[in-house]
Amino acid sequence: MMRWKNPVTALAAIAALSLTVSGCTGGSKSSNSNGSSGKTLVVNNNFDLKTLDPARAFEFTDVMIEHQVYETALTYHGNETSKLYPEVATYSRSSDDRVVTLKLTGDHQFADGSKVTADDIVFSYNRLEGIGGNPSFLLNDPSGKPVVVKKSGPSTVTLTSSVANPALPSILPNPALSILEKKVLVAHGGTTTSSDKAQKYLDEHSLGSATYQITNSQIATSVSLGTNPHYTGTAPGYSKVVIQNVVPATQKVNLQSGTAQLALDVDPQSAAQMVNSKKFAETASPSLNTIYAWFNTDAKYGGPVANNNFVLAVRHAIDYSSLIKLAGPGSTQPGGVIPEGIIGALKSDSHNTYDPVQAKRYLKKSGYHGQPIKFTVDSQASAGNASYTTIAQKIQAQLSAVGINLNLVPQPSVTSLSTYRSGTFPAGLASWGADYPDPSDYIAFGPGQNLGKRVAWKTGTSSSADKVEPLLTTALTTSDPSKRVSAWESVQKQMNADGPFVPLLQPGALIIYAAGIKNVPSNPIWTTEFRDIK
């Protein structure tokens, strides 16, 4: 149900586009009828772009781009995800948390001048559900049933769940729930069923009401944005934005040469050197990704790692501060699987602390005698801007110091994920990124859930799973804000005590840009906000 986020390294870079741009003082200038500056911002990103159809897209690059061209009912400001703001609508919810009512607010217009209506919202949401693409689960309620979306008045829409669904408002800012212009979408094959044929059109055009619109799209190499002439908000600092697919090493070169002004994948060491030169600046903040180690609870496949004392030994053998240093600026250690920035996140937990003496005690209790432990590592992925391989090697050395023989098994991204999903491998390194900033997204770590299944962690066969399951049920069905926080903290504390997942690192999100550029915001869901950059 939930996606497993994996920042796969792109296989190729593109040559710099034939644009005349200035170095550290911003982009090229041109006339612009919309009243914005007429400058061009060139952005380098290591693409994981598959499609620009919001109902089908669910990767980092497409989410970033979609946010710039589409509005959603609700939104977040800056990198703060604990408070919701109206974008196209205000909202209210019923006392039982089953019904969310959206009411259109303000003046919002698509690029052709048509106003955003309740019909556009209903069609966009129903299309997401009907297509059944990767992000369609976002409009499933906690029981797994689709949320019922209906127009309830000229400017109101109701979203009705079959059970209490307190997380729903927090889901609505996700760009997968972008509001598209119904009449144009239908004209290009858009439907609310799996027979929808609009993807090809949406890969090359946008039908949104946000600051920008797509002016040119080459999915594999670059996407260009121009201003929406009917956007009713403040004009952006840059009237054109070009997002290029460039590998990290070349991003540094492009910044230094002035062919790009902003880069999203420069490694921390290079970034520090560039910032120290005073010619570049950075925005660093925690992402909403949790990097974790997993251990198979089935002794048939896990062997010694299926013993909880072994996992406790691992928890205390790791020097978490060293992993944070590797990942670079903005990184931190999460107290549990829920990262900092989401309600219910733990500040810290005594089970996940560096204590080699305690680690050796637990290891002795486990009965482990030095046999090799296979540990799969995605050889193409990174946490923040440190490779998984580097992180795994650091962990390997630290575990060796207490007597654990970790045998690293590097695999390409697709293979590593398949290995994890098979449920037949002892252990490995993985990541989970928030699909939406609410603790309910982390049910995936629960017994019998998406990630729990992969490590054979289920009720009836595991005493630790039996302890966590009722706590998880309480957390999912609690609506009171303060009680929700407490409930999710209890879930994580119990998982840290005897669960199969060891939260290691919450990597930072690092954006490097020319010093002449100002006001570069960071957001853990859509990376940044191009309209705010000056």
Side-chain angles (χ1 to χ4, degrees):
M1 178 177 172
M2 306 296 185
R3 66 173 167 168
W4 185 83
K5 279 188 177 177
N6 184 21
V8 180
T9 302
L11 299 178
I14 61 169
L17 298 184
S18 55
L19 294 168
T20 304
V21 295
S22 60
C24 299
T25 58
S28 63
K29 294 185 178 181
S30 62
S31 60
N32 178 44
S33 60
N34 196 36
S36 58
S37 70
K39 296 188 296 182
T40 298
L41 177 71
V42 179
V43 179
N44 283 186
N45 177 225
N46 196 10
F47 279 18
D48 58 1
L49 183 59
K50 302 288 193 303
T51 176
L52 289 169
D53 182 346
R56 293 180 168 91
F58 215 42
E59 311 299 333
F60 293 105
T61 302
D62 50 61
V63 165
M64 175 182 67
I65 294 173
E66 286 164 8
H67 175 72
Q68 319 303 324
V69 299
Y70 294 105
E71 291 186 300
T72 49
L74 306 176
T75 192
Y76 297 107
H77 289 172
N79 66 356
E80 176 59 59
T81 57
S82 63
K83 184 177 180 181
L84 287 163
Y85 294 88
E87 186 159 51
V88 167
T90 59
Y91 82 101
S92 60
R93 51 187 175 184
S94 60
S95 58
D96 61 1
D97 273 323
R98 289 183 57 245
V99 181
V100 171
T101 301
L102 300 176
K103 184 175 179 58
L104 286 170
T105 184
D107 180 23
H108 301 270
Q109 298 179 31
F110 296 110
D112 65 1
S114 300
K115 290 184 178 295
V116 176
T117 69
D119 291 319
D120 295 311
I121 297 176
V122 173
F123 188 82
S124 298
Y125 288 4
N126 284 339
R127 180 172 179 268
L128 173 69
E129 293 179 312
I131 287 175
N134 284 335
S136 62
F137 76 88
L138 292 169
L139 283 183
N140 284 348
D141 67 24
S143 73
K145 296 179 180 179
V147 172
V148 177
V149 182
K150 290 185 176 180
K151 180 179 176 180
S152 53
S155 60
T156 57
V157 174
T158 56
L159 290 76
T160 304
S161 302
S162 63
V163 296
N165 193 2
L168 184 55
S170 298
I171 295 172
L172 297 181
N174 191 295
L177 283 98
S178 294
I179 300 167
L180 286 71
E181 187 174 6
K182 177 183 176 181
K183 66 179 181 182
V184 181
L185 190 56
V186 170
H188 291 278
T191 71
T192 57
T193 70
S194 58
S195 64
D196 177 272
K197 304 295 183 185
Q199 179 179 349
K200 186 177 186 301
Y201 183 80
L202 292 173
D203 282 346
E204 300 173 352
H205 308 81
S206 54
L207 297 175
S209 56
T211 313
Y212 294 100
Q213 60 180 325
I214 295 172
T215 56
N216 186 275
S217 174
Q218 306 295 326
I219 292 288
T221 57
S222 69
V223 177
S224 298
L225 310 179
T227 52
N228 169 2
H230 295 281
Y231 178 61
T232 56
T234 302
Y238 288 86
S239 61
K240 297 179 181 178
V241 181
V242 180
I243 307 102
Q244 301 174 338
N245 183 14
V246 181
V247 294
T250 307
Q251 292 183 27
K252 175 184 176 181
V253 174
N254 288 351
L255 281 177
Q256 291 174 327
S257 68
T259 57
Q261 290 78 51
L262 188 148
L264 304 177
D265 306 288
V266 176
D267 69 89
Q269 292 75 23
S270 296
Q273 294 171 359
M274 294 171 75
V275 171
N276 287 338
S277 75
K278 307 300 182 183
K279 295 180 180 179
F280 302 93
E282 69 179 11
T283 297
S285 61
S287 66
L288 292 184
N289 291 352
T290 302
I291 310 301
Y292 64 95
W294 55 268
F295 298 91
N296 201 319
T297 66
D298 186 340
K300 178 181 178 181
Y301 302 111
V305 311
N307 187 302
N308 185 56
N309 284 313
F310 180 93
V311 179
L312 287 170
V314 171
R315 292 180 187 275
H316 290 297
I318 295 172
D319 181 358
Y320 300 91
S321 63
S322 69
L323 303 185
I324 293 171
K325 185 176 180 180
L326 275 179
S331 301
T332 188
Q333 180 192 353
V337 295
I338 299 175
E340 176 185 316
I342 294 180
I343 63 168
L346 291 175
K347 295 293 184 183
S348 61
D349 191 302
S350 59
H351 290 97
N352 301 330
T353 54
Y354 181 47
D355 187 342
V357 175
Q358 187 79 311
K360 291 177 181 179
R361 289 182 187 140
Y362 279 119
L363 197 60
K364 186 175 181 179
K365 287 183 182 180
S366 75
Y368 173 74
H369 299 296
Q371 53 269 54
I373 304 297
K374 291 184 178 180
F375 193 82
T376 181
V377 181
D378 185 335
S379 60
Q380 295 176 300
S382 60
N385 289 299
S387 72
Y388 276 24
T389 300
T390 302
I391 292 171
Q393 289 170 343
K394 176 71 74 172
I395 294 171
Q396 180 186 42
Q398 293 171 354
L399 267 57
S400 176
V402 301
I404 297 175
N405 182 9
L406 207 62
N407 182 12
L408 302 186
V409 183
Q411 296 177 312
S413 300
V414 173
T415 307
S416 179
L417 179 55
S418 296
T419 297
Y420 184 17
R421 286 175 169 168
S422 73
T424 61
F425 208 77
L429 188 70
S431 71
W432 182 262
D435 300 313
Y436 52 91
D438 187 88
S440 60
D441 190 41
Y442 292 81
I443 187 179
F445 286 92
Q449 299 295 327
N450 187 346
L451 305 181
K453 287 179 181 178
R454 298 178 189 179
V455 296
W457 198 43
K458 54 187 178 182
T459 57
T461 61
S462 167
S463 60
S464 65
D466 292 339
K467 294 175 186 175
V468 169
E469 183 67 18
L471 297 175
L472 193 58
T473 300
T474 298
L476 285 168
T477 56
T478 299
S479 298
D480 179 84
S482 61
K483 291 181 180 178
R484 282 193 86 209
V485 170
S486 178
W488 283 106
E489 288 177 344
S490 296
V491 169
Q492 292 173 94
K493 288 176 181 178
Q494 189 61 53
M495 289 179 67
N496 286 341
D498 51 14
F501 303 107
V502 180
L504 302 169
L505 174 69
Q506 183 178 345
L510 186 64
I511 304 174
I512 302 298
Y513 48 92
I517 291 181
K518 307 297 181 184
N519 195 37
V520 179
S522 174
N523 183 276
I525 301 173
W526 45 76
T527 306
T528 191
E529 191 84 62
F530 293 152
R531 70 183 180 195
D532 292 340
I533 299 174
K534 308 297 183 186

